[in-house]
Amino acid sequence: MKLNVRWSCLLCLVLTGIAIEGVQCKVVQFIFGDSLSDVGNMYLSKSLAQANLPFYGIDFGNGLPNGRFTNGRTVADIIGDSTGLPRPPAFLDPSLTEDVILESGVNYASGGGGILNETGGYFIQKFSLWKQIELFRGTKELITNKLGKQATDKFIGEANFVVALGSNDFINNYLMPVYGDSWKYNDQTFVRYLMETLQNQLLVLHNLGARKLMVFGLGPMGCIPLQRVLSTTGQCQERANKLAISFNKAASQLLAGLDSRLPNASFKFGDAYDVVDNVIRNPKNYGFDNSDSPCCSFGRIRPALTCLPASTLCSDRSKYVFWDEYHPSDGANQLIANELIKKFGFLGGGNSSAPVPAPESAIAPSPDEE
């Protein structure tokens, strides 16, 4: 790995003719997303989409909350680990500097965010994809001031871009009658509206220098615990699942078109819908015992919406597909990441390092099995 970095830096210097003391030329990630990819943009003081309380992060590092909406790693964490890329810190991380960006990239993902600005309005504060792109534009200006335009263009052009949003645009917008989009559009026209918006956003990212970009598709969002508990039968809400399938089909076609016509660009789409659907319907085939309720909840008081210190944890977190009402567990994220690694054609793959066990003090006392 050190040899590859050394040759990469040498190539950077040869092509740009610029040597900057103390700056390493590395391939990094810029991640745009929602709570499924958020790693700590929890400094939005008024946001209702927060993962800053126990027991979030219980199976990650020191077991304390770190902004991830799960017990362990996100899908983007796992894919980055498998491909040897550093984990980018959250944009709002107080320790973020130009040197940190050059070393690790940035994660702009924000709980409650969506492709559309209007999505997730009741969370009060969140970064939509348009806002995240605006923040990236500022990041690029910051890097340009440090490196100069030529070196910055090369740095950005070699970076990996991940765009992973869309579920909130349905669950926390279109499928909720309180939002205007729910009565302004039908299923077909709303998906078209999302694709038109997403295309404009991806074109802006391309204009800002993104050349290697991946878009993650949606899973069977009608089967998350929240959607089940809100149904009259406790089963998956098939309309939501069909919308996810429609989104994935349209996004796949959009990315294929962009990939074929944008110069010097690799824009790819991948989803893990079928695998996740199979895991949910046949959990024991994948080593899980439960795929319809959250590991972290208030027992029979549902929906709990979030995981809190007063919550009760399941006795074995590795056996649950879902961590809370919305989000997959670390184990489920591993399966999703493995499928996306295949779809995107990455080398390696397989199981990346499991989360570091949490200290005893972080474990909930006497958790009950649901």
Side-chain angles (χ1 to χ4, degrees):
M1 184 64 181
K2 291 182 178 178
L3 182 61
N4 290 338
V5 170
R6 188 178 297 120
W7 278 108
S8 178
C9 290
L10 178 60
L11 180 60
C12 180
L13 296 177
V14 169
L15 293 178
T16 63
I18 299 174
I20 301 174
E21 185 177 358
V23 176
Q24 291 186 347
C25 181
K26 281 193 171 183
V27 175
V28 302
Q29 298 182 88
F30 293 103
I31 297 176
F32 305 79
D34 52 27
S35 57
L36 295 172
S37 303
D38 196 341
V39 298
N41 283 316
M42 54 189 179
Y43 298 95
L44 294 171
S45 60
K46 297 179 182 179
S47 176
L48 298 181
Q50 297 275 8
N52 58 354
L53 294 172
F55 295 99
Y56 288 108
I58 191 171
D59 295 311
F60 188 103
N62 61 8
L64 299 177
N66 53 63
R68 289 169 172 82
F69 287 77
T70 183
N71 60 310
R73 304 158 297 169
T74 68
V75 170
D77 282 334
I78 298 167
I79 292 177
D81 293 348
S82 297
T83 53
L85 295 176
R87 293 177 180 174
F91 173 79
L92 292 180
D93 188 321
S95 66
L96 190 70
T97 64
E98 296 101 319
D99 289 339
V100 171
I101 294 170
L102 293 171
E103 182 77 16
S104 302
V106 184
N107 186 323
Y108 304 93
S110 172
I115 293 170
L116 305 175
N117 286 338
E118 61 264 32
T119 288
Y122 62 81
F123 291 121
I124 303 178
Q125 279 187 313
K126 40 77 183 177
F127 294 152
S128 67
L129 182 50
W130 277 123
K131 180 61 177 180
Q132 293 177 41
I133 293 171
E134 179 185 333
L135 295 175
F136 170 70
R137 187 190 300 273
T139 299
K140 182 179 179 181
E141 292 175 359
L142 197 68
I143 298 171
T144 302
N145 291 337
K146 185 178 183 68
L147 301 185
K149 182 180 184 305
Q150 192 175 8
T152 298
D153 288 347
K154 180 169 181 56
F155 173 73
I156 298 297
E158 292 184 343
N160 283 1
F161 286 73
V162 173
V163 176
L165 302 94
S167 59
N168 281 327
D169 293 292
F170 293 101
I171 295 173
N172 292 309
N173 182 354
Y174 177 64
L175 293 175
M176 298 186 70
V178 296
Y179 285 94
D181 287 345
S182 67
W183 46 262
K184 185 176 180 180
Y185 299 96
N186 60 38
D187 291 1
Q188 183 179 7
T189 57
F190 184 70
V191 171
R192 186 181 305 131
Y193 173 37
L194 285 176
M195 290 304 109
E196 291 171 352
T197 306
L198 181 59
Q199 174 173 268
N200 290 335
Q201 292 162 334
L202 297 181
L203 288 174
V204 171
L205 283 174
H206 182 266
N207 287 337
L208 289 171
R211 294 298 179 266
K212 296 187 292 183
L213 184 145
M214 302 175 290
V215 172
F216 295 176
L218 305 184
M221 58 189 179
C223 293
I224 65 174
L226 176 69
Q227 290 292 297
R228 283 180 182 266
V229 78
L230 293 178
S231 73
T232 57
T233 63
Q235 300 301 310
C236 297
Q237 298 208 33
E238 293 306 322
R239 182 191 176 196
N241 285 346
K242 289 178 180 177
L243 285 167
I245 292 172
S246 296
F247 176 94
N248 289 345
K249 181 179 179 181
S252 178
Q253 294 172 346
L254 170 63
L255 270 292
L258 292 175
D259 185 65
S260 65
R261 64 185 176 87
L262 290 178
N264 304 315
S266 174
F267 277 35
K268 304 297 182 184
F269 174 84
D271 73 83
Y273 185 98
D274 291 340
V275 168
V276 177
D277 185 61
N278 199 22
V279 170
I280 290 171
R281 299 183 191 281
N282 304 286
K284 292 188 182 297
N285 292 350
Y286 296 85
F288 297 102
D289 291 336
N290 185 300
S291 62
D292 59 14
S293 57
C295 174
C296 185
S297 73
F298 284 103
R300 296 183 180 181
I301 302 175
R302 296 185 57 202
L305 299 183
T306 189
C307 184
L308 296 169
S311 300
T312 299
L313 298 189
C314 59
S315 61
D316 188 347
R317 298 186 288 276
S318 70
K319 297 298 183 181
Y320 273 63
V321 173
F322 291 99
W323 168 245
D324 62 14
E325 298 281 7
Y326 288 93
H327 307 99
S329 64
D330 178 271
N333 281 339
Q334 179 74 66
L335 289 174
I336 296 168
N338 288 347
E339 181 66 12
L340 291 175
I341 287 168
K342 293 178 187 175
K343 291 285 180 70
F344 289 118
F346 295 135
L347 297 176
N351 290 339
S352 62
S353 300
V356 178
E360 290 297 323
S361 61
I363 306 299
S366 303
D368 297 325
E369 181 73 46
E370 293 181 0

